Amino acid sequence: MRGFSTNAIHAGQEPDPTTGAVIVPIHPSSTFIQDEVNSPRGGYEYSRAANPTRSALQECLAALEGARHAFAFGSGMGAADVALRVQLRPGDHVVIPHDAYGGTFRIIDKVLTQWGVEYSTVDLGDVAALRDALRPTTKLVWCETPTNPLLGIADVTAVAEVAHAGGARLVVDNTFASPYLQNPLALGADVVLHSTTKYVGGHSDVVGGALVLDDDELAEQIRFTQNSVGSVPGPFDAWLTLRGVKTLAVRMERHSDNAERVAEMLAAHPAVSQVLYPGLPTHPGHETAAKQMRRFGGMVSFRVAAGKEAALAVCAGTELFTLAESLGGVESLIEHPGEMTHASVAGSVLEVPDDLIRLSVGIEDIDDLLEDLRGALGRV
């Protein structure tokens, strides 16, 4: 059985049989020749349905998650839309984390409820609470671990057992962990979602998403729906993502190294009231994360003791940490979730603290990153 980095570099990426090119070609063609009616020469007909560059990416992602099927999408939310669309019908109920990503909350709360889908928010770290939240109409449990932006941890195996006992499937958003740090299918999940914009792509230069799973019947439903709604990436986007994934393992090691040092520094800083990082022994999900993750990742959130205005000043006061949305690139980013990525949950039960800052810790020299944060914190 091949190792992770070997699969990242080789799965779906054999040298081109025509030219011998070592790197998978970009196939921009929208259509493909057919030798006879309904007899495409190379197995491809039209790029909305399938494209060779996209197929290479999908084969690689499936290998990294140890799955039979993978589907690449034009964005993480495009993947989420199809995952929800194929598994929910009017009158169905879905459970989501009490601190879910704002975009996930928005599509469920603002879009799916218009079609009769109901939802409940639960702390998925509390298995008893999840069990109590299930209804006869519950068809889906939607899990993030770690969560965005509060870095909550759910025990995937325990959540899967409860969901399956209640007749529901489990979808795990694995974006924060990446396939290198965590493999939810092996822990009992039914579907894994990634915003490949983030760690999988890794360079802040491409938007994409993915669904990965083993279930053949569900995979066919996803394939049909994806083609029907046209939620696909272009070949250049697929190629960029495939280029990025080759270095995922080495990048995640450096992200984790740096984030651990940042979390330790913040935990000792007098201007910080709380650090949210599963690698800290004080984190309530530390033991669970240590059990199901290889390392603890590159995302760190923290609360500023002096409140919202001070938090905003810290966000504006860094130099190496760029004030921007998104995460998972090689460069370090800083943001204020309440005013930026999670503004859509303001006023809801998912509203995040207004003194919260989220860091995507990059792979720069750690001493430079620590100095940058200390400087910004020292000015508030």
Side-chain angles (χ1 to χ4, degrees):
M1 185 175 180
R2 289 179 171 179
F4 185 92
S5 287
T6 302
N7 278 329
I9 294 168
H10 293 284
Q13 301 168 76
E14 294 297 324
D16 182 66
T18 302
T19 65
V22 173
I23 299 300
V24 171
I26 303 170
H27 292 273
S29 184
S30 61
T31 192
F32 301 86
I33 189 171
Q34 300 190 29
D35 293 321
E36 299 176 5
V37 173
N38 293 325
S39 181
R41 181 177 298 177
Y44 295 92
E45 300 174 351
Y46 185 61
S47 275
R48 173 165 45 79
N51 175 277
T53 312
R54 189 165 93 232
S55 294
L57 171 60
Q58 291 174 161
E59 184 176 339
C60 183
L61 293 175
L64 297 184
E65 287 284 10
R68 288 201 295 272
H69 308 282
F71 300 88
F73 290 81
S75 70
M77 289 312 303
D81 173 52
V82 170
L84 293 163
R85 192 190 298 258
V86 300
Q87 297 182 88
L88 296 173
R89 298 292 180 268
D92 287 347
H93 174 252
V94 56
V95 175
I96 65 174
H98 73 305
D99 55 347
Y101 167 55
T104 302
F105 174 76
R106 182 174 55 219
I107 193 173
I108 292 172
D109 180 66
K110 299 295 190 291
V111 179
L112 292 188
T113 55
Q114 296 185 51
W115 301 100
V117 172
E118 299 179 329
Y119 73 92
S120 299
T121 60
V122 173
D123 178 358
L124 294 182
D126 184 343
V127 176
L130 170 61
R131 188 178 292 110
D132 291 342
L134 296 182
R135 307 174 185 175
T137 55
T138 304
K139 296 297 188 293
L140 199 64
V141 174
W142 190 280
C143 175
E144 297 175 24
T145 184
T147 59
N148 180 7
L150 298 180
L151 281 299
I153 298 295
D155 185 325
V156 176
T157 299
V159 171
E161 290 173 353
V162 172
H164 295 157
R169 289 194 181 107
L170 173 62
V171 175
V172 174
D173 184 337
N174 203 29
T175 297
F176 267 28
S178 85
Y180 179 69
L181 297 183
Q182 183 171 262
N183 300 119
L185 292 180
L187 299 171
D190 298 290
V191 181
V192 174
L193 178 141
H194 289 281
S195 172
T196 56
T197 309
K198 313 304 194 299
Y199 285 110
V200 172
H203 292 80
S204 301
D205 57 7
V206 61
V207 174
L211 296 176
V212 188
L213 66 158
D214 280 329
D215 187 300
D216 296 336
E217 181 179 354
L218 183 58
E220 186 54 41
Q221 294 171 358
I222 290 172
R223 179 180 290 106
F224 176 85
T225 302
Q226 180 185 35
N227 183 43
S228 298
V229 303
S231 186
V232 299
F236 184 54
D237 288 349
W239 185 87
L240 281 172
T241 306
L242 193 60
R243 184 278 319 261
V245 81
K246 292 175 185 289
T247 58
L248 180 58
V250 292
R251 286 188 285 108
M252 293 311 297
E253 288 290 342
R254 182 63 172 264
H255 283 301
S256 297
D257 286 344
N258 283 356
E260 288 171 8
R261 292 280 304 279
V262 165
E264 290 169 358
M265 182 276 288
L266 291 172
H269 200 286
V272 175
S273 60
Q274 184 182 18
V275 180
L276 306 173
Y277 184 65
L280 293 175
T282 55
H283 190 285
H286 175 72
E287 291 186 6
T288 299
K291 176 182 68 174
Q292 66 189 19
M293 298 177 70
R294 292 183 179 90
R295 295 191 67 183
F296 301 104
M299 301 302 298
V300 180
S301 291
F302 66 98
R303 301 180 68 173
V304 179
K308 178 180 178 180
E309 295 307 315
L312 293 173
V314 172
C315 288
T318 55
E319 296 180 2
L320 293 179
F321 279 85
T322 302
L323 179 58
E325 296 190 0
S326 198
L327 58 103
V330 293
E331 69 290 323
S332 293
L333 301 179
I334 187 170
E335 68 126 4
H336 185 272
E339 296 287 341
M340 297 171 70
T341 54
H342 288 69
S344 63
V345 301
S348 77
V349 295
L350 277 74
E351 184 171 5
V352 298
D354 64 7
D355 58 1
L356 184 74
I357 291 175
R358 190 191 73 182
L359 303 176
S360 175
V361 182
I363 64 173
E364 301 95 335
D365 291 311
I366 185 57
D367 289 340
D368 295 329
L369 295 179
L370 294 176
E371 181 181 358
D372 191 33
L373 287 172
R374 288 193 189 103
L377 286 166
R379 291 189 288 272
V380 300

